Amino acid sequence: MNIPRIAVCVKPVPDPAYYDKITVDRTTKRLQRGQAPTIMNELDRYALEKALQLKETLQAEITVFSMAPSNSRLVLLEALALGSDKVVLLNDIDFAGADTLATAYTLARGITHTGTFDIVLMGSESSDGGTEQVAAQLGEMLGIPRFTHVTSVSLDSQSGRFDITAKHDTGVNRYRVQGPVLCGVTREIATPRLPHLRNIRHCIEKPLITLDSKAIEADPQRIGDKGSPTKAGAIYNRESTRQGIMLQGTPDGITDRILTEMRRLGVLCQA
Amino acid sequence: MEYRLSPQQEMVRDTARKFAREVCEPIAAEIDKSHRFPRETFDKMTECGITAVGFPVAYGGTGLDKLAQVLVTEEIARKCAATAAIFSIHQGTAWTIHLFGTEDQKQKYLRPLLTGGVIGAFSLTEPNAGSDASNVQTIAVEEEDCYVLNGTKCFCSNGGQAGIFVILAMTNPELKTRGISAFIVEKGTPGLSIGKTEDKMGICASDTSELIIKDLRVPKENLLGKLNRGFNHALASIDGSRITVAAAQALGIAEEALDLSVQYVKDRVQFGKPIAVQQGLQWYIADMKTRIEAARSLTYRAAALVDQGEPYATLGAMAKYFASETAVYVTNRAIQLHGGYGFMRDYPLERMYRDAKITEIYEGTSEIQKLVISREVIGKIQ
Ligand SMILES: Cc1cc2nc3c(=O)[nH]c(=O)nc-3n(C[C@H](O)[C@H](O)[C@H](O)COP(=O)(O)OP(=O)(O)OC[C@H]3O[C@@H](n4cnc5c(N)ncnc54)[C@H](O)[C@@H]3O)c2cc1C
């Protein structure tokens, strides 16, 4: 096997620490990110870390793919600073409004257009979508074995075989497969590092290639809003009417009042 | 006038922000309460290049610039001011060696400071030499192959933890300020011992120690900068380090206190409404935010001047003076906005208020900054 080639899919998402600043546009039903900064989807960071570890042991080459608006540049530069060799940004106004199916299609086109890879790594889900669909769909579209909830991956570079562990509700499955494969990973896969500040200075010199729908020869009917069968239904604001009550006094007194209140609310039967 | 961070500066800030959230914030309250020096945090900083930010690559630095140092200090100070103090004072020591060291000294001492996990400390202050730093009484007597130092230093940040010290001493007492020199001293050199470690009001997890210097023999090649020019070297170094150590640190504390306050006034309901609807409180928030933005402008501009090779001492003094008073003002207001909860140790604000105070004192008090600024503005009075 030559130098293993790794693709990592990275999604820029709003920083969960700023979720209170995010709203949903009632007419377009899309997220309004407001002042929330854009960061790398957390699980994708884990996927990238795994790729970096494979690179360290096997001299692998890492290409990051991201379908994202152009204001996500910092997230992609960060991927380069962390040690990726190249970033491919899939960016086109026509990609906007993509659901998971159109996203998977676009990523598949971008990856196929760019080259062949021994493994595609990505987070099992995104923190702002949480559908867990893209990894499975992308694997199908690329026509390669795909695994989700992957907790460990190792590659025998002689044979090109991968040992993969994936968890499910009641246990784990272990697989030994010939590459190429796709893995949607979970937090167990690795512990992400921070970029070394020295590499930040040079990340800008690494290749960051932007491809639009024409460049990847995408079918216009399968991208963006047009290619997305998912339609947002009604949108609700979760109303929170919870109110804290401070109880003060002796422990016994407080216990009595809690019990009384719980009975009043029907949580406990009347004594 | 272009006024925005470069993508690299933004990435440095974001990386430091993540570091502060993941490494500093979870232990900030604990190390404050127990006055524990977070050695493990320093090691993690070394691992991802934070300790080396803003120094030339040739000596193990990350390249980048003074503004990057400011951004890192600010982000760390948001979550733990004591850690920001440890980091920035360490960097201030390295900065002094960078400014005045010979090539050999830089190769020998900058690398361990920037990449080797060795902590730096800078010791000018003595019991009788505070604002009047010229009144140094530690003596250095020249011998054939070394200088022999005797005296006592106080309030040395990182003192009990440092591996490399920059120490100022009198080489020619008759010449007063023109008779002071700077020396690089390694930990473990016979004659250097750590005295009392101070019990402080704020930045409690940082180490502030007394240095007892008794027949400390410093090899001649460890004279830092020119003989008898140490006082000028020290002042020049502090001109730069106060932009990070005090101004950026103050800025970070103030910003975090404001963020916490904005959240709190929206959440806290009294008289049936969030207290944020009270105009009196809205005006507090407006004042806090305005001062913070002004402090940020001064601080970033002072750092940018350093990077552009322009004179920065006066603007640096203004940044230090204004940002530190802003931090004290903002944390004080933030506690007021939190009412009784702000006063409780369960909330981080009382710690931030205690921490903010140091920024008005070290790296030259507010009064000394005004002295520096007014001297420059008024000029020599005939
Ligand atoms: C936590 C901590 C860490 C420190 N870390 C270090 C360190 O790492 N290295 C180091 O060398 N030093 C360090 N210092 C010392 C610090 O820089 C001095 O405390 C500071 O410069 C003030 O000196 P002083 O405490 O002697 O106060 P003084 O100089 O005695 O000042 C007392 C008051 O008089 C005012 N004052 C003095 N002179 C004038 C004047 N001419 N005009 C108007 N007002 C004046 C001052 O502003 C102040 O309000 C540290 C101090 C603290 C508290």
Side-chain angles (χ1 to χ4, degrees), chain A residues 3 8 10 79 88 96 116 131 156 183 185 191 194 209 213 227 238 241 262:
Chain A
I3 293 176
V8 182
V10 162
V88 176
T116 54
T131 63
D156 175 36
C183 295
V185 308
T191 307
L194 288 169
I209 298 151
S213 59
R238 197 184 61 186
T241 49
M262 287 171 92

Side-chain angles (χ1 to χ4, degrees), chain A residues 40 46-47 71-72 81 94 106 118 128 137 164 173 181 190 223 245:
Chain A
M40 191 183 301
Y46 284 74
N71 65 8
S72 312
D94 291 338
T106 309
D118 300 290
D128 65 338
Q137 294 176 149
I164 293 169
N173 290 338
V181 294
I223 56 171
I245 305 170

